Each structure stands twice: as structure tokens, then as C-alpha cells.
Amino acid sequence: MESSNHEAIPEPVVRRLSLYLRQLEIFKLSGKLTISSKSLGQSLNLTDAQVRKDLTWFGQFGRAGIGYKVDDLISRVRRILGTDTARNVLLVGAGNLGRALCAYKGFEEKGFKIAAVFDRDAISISKARDGESAKSDALQTVPVQPMSQLKETVLRLDIHLAILAVPADQAQDVADDLVDAGISGILNFAPVLLRVPKRVAVNAVDLAVELEQLLFQVNFSRG
Amino acid sequence: MESSNHEAIPEPVVRRLSLYLRQLEIFKLSGKLTISSKSLGQSLNLTDAQVRKDLTWFGQFGRAGIGYKVDDLISRVRRILGTDTARNVLLVGAGNLGRALCAYKGFEEKGFKIAAVFDRDAISISKARDGESAKSDALQTVPVQPMSQLKETVLRLDIHLAILAVPADQAQDVADDLVDAGISGILNFAPVLLRVPKRVAVNAVDLAVELEQLLFQVNFSRG
DNA sequence: ACGTGTGAAGTCGTTCACAGCG
DNA sequence: CGCTGTGAACGACTTCACACGT
């Protein structure tokens, strides 16, 4: 549909595409109707050539001498990434991190709705309900369900993506359950490498690793 | 000290180093005294050659015919990454995400201690104190301070790293404050690109982008 | 003149394959 | 023989430089 050579798109290109979109929305707010690869690149510390090369993986969106139409490019990039239509996702793990993710505004701004929350045991479930009084906590509107209702909910709400925010020692088991329930993508916050069938995609975020990487940058790459 | 050619270490190598460490600690728990590049690689879906090449950036840690001594490699990698000694970090932003990060166990396991928490206004401060009753919330032990106390606290607690978990529209201002207070590294959770002096390192984690990337993987890279 | 799209060149990172040690 | 360390071959990504459209 959007691209002619699906398989071959380099990962770094897709990552930058998300950043282009983020930046384009800022340019849109500031009233710019058109944007050149040069200024878009500068706003992200990238070269203009890089921006153009990345975009031409998906088509020819620009006009020579003018640049790219901001509105148009936003909707094209959204369509490429798949965020042009809203979709339900589920969350497993109603601990501190899970509850924060549940309330995170950034997801809904991109069209992701946390439509179901699961947790292993009733302790977390009640804790999640009692503890928090802030109005922004989505756990007030989305009840925490036991894992036994996973499969049924996935089907009913047409969910394809899961956010995994459980302790490391439960992560693989829960991942197995998610796979079994028919999920096709997992955003994994547990510090373990998940083993899943090839049909399932995994994107891992290890918060402690990110801090560790920062520390190394500070100690070496600089003075 | 550890390496002879500091400047040149590729970023991907450093990222994998963190994963090696994570995996080595698992091997250690399971009682293994020695590990080959092959099994370490397999546990992370990497080739043995990759593991060896990565490690030799920092020295020759292995023994031909045997492999690497698990204990030894752990402490060497920790020293390389800088997590062999504990250190204080600070957090700005006592919203949902900030509070979750504050309570996150993974940081302290790597020797990071969130020694100070800051927030812009008193509303968040009181909210942070009242809202949460779970025993694991570090905000009970670490009081939330106003930004005016930033510089003094950084000096007093010898803090070099900051975690930034404020809304996008405040992120650059807070980053400026952090730079001004003498911070040398920022872990940025706000969905904006921070402009900082060259002496300051930034590592950015955009949660919505991570979910977006997963969606793309699901839609294309697979059937 | 400005700015895109793109082959060609260049750079960076990974994989290969083997010498050499335990 | 198993396994590391490493140059050499390979492949992937980025930058260059320019033809062409506005």
C-alpha cells in the first residue's frame, strides 16, 4: 500500500520517522505551512540529505524549490506509521510503572487507547483501585482484570498490542499468555529478553539500561 | 584506564554491553562460573563473534578454550559502564511518570539512588505526598523540593545525573536549569529534543515513540 | 536561487574465517 | 578439540554532489 519495498526499510529510518512526525506537529502549531528538509533536519540535528533519503523510502512527498507541505507530510507519516487511526492496546502490570503508563498522556495523543489493564493477583488490583486519587489516573475508568479474562478481552476489543510492565521474573510467563491470546506486538519494560514466535514483534525498553547508557556517555564520550 | 581508545567506541557496542551485564547476572545466579561467547550470544540472539568483538574494545577478558569467568566479566563490565560504584541521581517531575520512576527497583539494583526529587509547583508537591499510600513509593522517604533548591542540592549530594520527567512544554526550561546547576547528563522522558551545551550528555526515551515503533513493526516487518 | 530526489562514494558496523592458545 | 582474538570481507547506513524541477 504505502511502500513498494516493505521488507527492506532500515530500522533507523523508522525511528527517525517518529521524530519527524513529532517535530512536524510542532512546526504546524507554530503556523508553518511548508518545511524544507534542511530546517526539519536542523531541528533534529540531522542533515537535509538524511531527511530526504528517509522520506523517499515511502514516496516522493516534496516539491522542488518549495519543500514539504506540513499538513500533508504529517498525515502521510501518520499513515506510514499506522497512527492515522486510533487503536486499543492493553497493559499488563498494575504496579507503579504500569499505573504511570496507564495515565500517560502521550499515548492517547498518538491514538493509542489503553482499553484494558490486567494484573496477576488481587492484591495489586485492589491496591491500584485504592491508592491513587489523582483525577488523571486511567485506572479509575479502566478496571484491572485478572489474567483469566485476557483472551476474551483481546478478541472483544480487537487488541493487537500489549504493554508489559510486570517484574522480570513474571515477564516471560505473561508474554507466553499474551502470545497465546493472539497479541502481535509487545512493548516490554521488563529487563529480560522475551522469547516469542516469529509472528510476534517485541520492542524492549529497559529503564535501568537507559540510565546506565547515560552514565557511560558522561564518563567517556565527553571530558 | 579501562580502554585505550576512548573516543572511538561505537554506540551499539555500549548498548549491548548493558545487555551482556544483565544476562551475565542471570548466568551467575544459575551457578555458572564460566561462559563462552557462544552461549552469551545465544541468550541475546547475537553471534559469538559479535560478543567477542564487543568485549575486545575494552581489553582481553577471555581464556582460549575456556571462555570468560562470569564473576570477573561482571565486575569488568560494571567498571566499564561505571556502575561499579553507587551514585546519587536526581529526578525532576513528580507527576505520574516521575513517581513511578522514583519507586522503580531497577535503578537501585544498578547502584543508582534517586537522592532528590524536584517539582515546579507546590500543587504537584502536595499531590505527590498525599496521593500514594503504597509502601514502595520513594517519595515517602525523599521529599519533593522546589526548583529553587536545585543548585544547592546538586552540590551537596554530588549529583551528576538527572532524570527529566516533566511535560514537554516545560522540558527545555528545566533542562536549562539542570545545565545551570552543573548536571552533566540528562535522561529525558519528555517528547522534545533538548538543546544543551556539548559538555552535557542527553539520553532520550520517548514512550509514545516506542509504542509507535512497535506498531510499525507489527504492520510491516511481519505478515 | 532554492530545494528535492538520487546514484555514487564513503563511513561505520557486522560477520567470516582462521591462527593460535589452553 | 573448544574457544578466544582479530584481520579481512562484507553489508548497511550516511553523506556527497549534482541533475532537475519550480
Side-chain angles (χ1 to χ4, degrees):
Chain A
M1 20 170 67
E2 198 63 55
S3 157
S4 41
N5 43 0
H6 285 172
E7 314 303 319
I9 297 159
E11 269 197 30
V13 172
V14 184
R15 287 209 90 76
R16 284 192 298 268
L17 219 51
S18 281
L19 301 183
Y20 296 153
L21 179 54
R22 210 174 72 177
Q23 208 60 35
L24 284 166
E25 273 156 2
I26 293 172
F27 280 114
K28 181 177 180 173
L29 280 180
S30 75
K32 282 195 82 74
L33 297 177
T34 190
I35 184 94
S36 69
S37 59
K38 190 161 177 228
S39 35
L40 181 52
Q42 277 175 345
S43 75
L44 288 162
N45 298 338
L46 300 171
T47 67
D48 53 333
Q50 175 102 82
V51 173
R52 294 197 300 274
K53 257 274 155 69
D54 285 350
L55 293 177
T56 49
W57 276 94
F58 306 95
Q60 306 189 171
F61 305 148
R63 303 263 285 171
I66 311 274
Y68 303 85
K69 196 164 167 295
V70 173
D71 265 339
D72 179 57
L73 193 50
I74 287 179
S75 56
R76 282 173 184 278
V77 174
R78 282 218 188 104
R79 194 147 51 234
I80 293 166
L81 290 170
T83 48
D84 54 331
T85 55
R87 63 199 66 227
N88 289 334
V89 305
L90 69 81
L91 167 72
V92 188
N96 280 297
L97 184 58
R99 295 203 302 279
L101 294 171
C102 205
Y104 187 62
K105 294 292 195 309
F107 293 143
E108 53 190 305
E109 280 166 14
K110 287 217 182 294
F112 296 108
K113 169 152 201 249
I114 297 185
V117 180
F118 296 87
D119 201 296
R120 187 199 191 191
D121 47 33
I123 299 154
S124 297
I125 294 173
S126 59
K127 196 168 71 181
R129 287 209 173 152
D130 301 345
E132 188 61 42
S133 58
K135 62 179 178 305
S136 58
D137 196 318
L139 286 177
Q140 290 192 317
T141 55
V142 182
V144 178
Q145 301 173 257
M147 293 299 288
S148 56
Q149 293 174 16
L150 187 64
K151 206 170 212 164
E152 179 270 324
T153 307
V154 166
L155 282 170
R156 182 166 45 83
L157 299 178
D158 190 35
I159 293 175
H160 295 89
L161 302 184
I163 301 174
L164 185 48
V166 302
D169 56 2
Q170 298 166 32
Q172 183 62 58
D173 284 349
V174 173
D176 293 344
D177 291 345
L178 291 169
V179 169
D180 190 52
I183 286 294
S184 16
I186 301 175
L187 181 56
N188 176 32
F189 286 92
V192 288
L193 189 126
L194 298 180
R195 303 288 179 180
V196 297
K198 285 178 302 298
R199 68 161 194 85
V200 178
V202 175
N203 190 11
V205 178
D206 185 327
L207 299 173
V209 164
E210 296 301 334
L211 195 47
E212 201 170 51
Q213 294 288 308
L214 177 67
L215 177 60
F216 183 88
Q217 280 183 61
V218 168
N219 285 344
F220 299 98
S221 316
R222 331 258 156 175
Chain B
M1 19 169 77
E2 199 63 55
S3 158
S4 40
N5 42 1
H6 285 172
E7 312 304 319
I9 296 159
E11 270 196 31
V13 172
V14 184
R15 287 209 90 76
R16 285 192 296 268
L17 219 51
S18 280
L19 301 182
Y20 296 152
L21 178 55
R22 210 174 72 176
Q23 208 60 36
L24 284 166
E25 272 156 1
I26 293 173
F27 279 114
K28 180 177 181 174
L29 281 180
S30 76
K32 281 196 81 75
L33 297 177
T34 190
I35 184 93
S36 69
S37 59
K38 189 159 177 230
S39 34
L40 181 52
Q42 277 175 345
S43 74
L44 288 162
N45 298 337
L46 300 171
T47 68
D48 53 335
Q50 176 102 81
V51 174
R52 294 197 299 274
K53 256 275 155 70
D54 285 350
L55 293 177
T56 50
W57 277 93
F58 305 95
Q60 307 190 169
F61 306 148
R63 302 265 285 171
I66 311 274
Y68 302 84
K69 195 162 169 297
V70 173
D71 265 340
D72 179 56
L73 193 51
I74 287 178
S75 56
R76 283 174 183 278
V77 174
R78 282 217 189 105
R79 193 148 50 233
I80 293 166
L81 291 170
T83 48
D84 55 330
T85 55
R87 64 198 65 225
N88 289 334
V89 305
L90 69 82
L91 167 73
V92 188
N96 281 297
L97 185 57
R99 294 204 303 278
L101 294 172
C102 205
Y104 187 62
K105 293 292 194 306
F107 292 142
E108 53 190 307
E109 280 166 15
K110 287 217 182 293
F112 296 108
K113 169 151 202 251
I114 297 185
V117 180
F118 295 87
D119 201 294
R120 187 202 193 190
D121 47 33
I123 299 154
S124 296
I125 293 172
S126 58
K127 194 168 74 181
R129 286 210 172 151
D130 301 345
E132 188 61 44
S133 57
K135 63 180 177 306
S136 58
D137 196 318
L139 286 178
Q140 291 191 318
T141 53
V142 182
V144 178
Q145 302 173 256
M147 293 299 287
S148 55
Q149 293 174 16
L150 187 64
K151 207 169 210 164
E152 180 270 324
T153 307
V154 165
L155 282 170
R156 182 166 45 83
L157 299 178
D158 190 34
I159 294 174
H160 295 88
L161 303 184
I163 301 173
L164 184 49
V166 302
D169 57 1
Q170 297 165 33
Q172 182 62 59
D173 283 350
V174 174
D176 292 345
D177 291 344
L178 291 169
V179 168
D180 190 52
I183 286 294
S184 16
I186 300 175
L187 182 56
N188 176 32
F189 286 92
V192 289
L193 189 125
L194 298 180
R195 303 287 178 181
V196 297
K198 284 177 303 298
R199 68 158 195 87
V200 178
V202 175
N203 190 10
V205 178
D206 185 326
L207 299 173
V209 164
E210 296 301 333
L211 194 46
E212 201 170 50
Q213 294 288 309
L214 178 68
L215 177 60
F216 183 88
Q217 280 183 60
V218 167
N219 284 346
F220 299 96
S221 316
R222 331 257 154 176

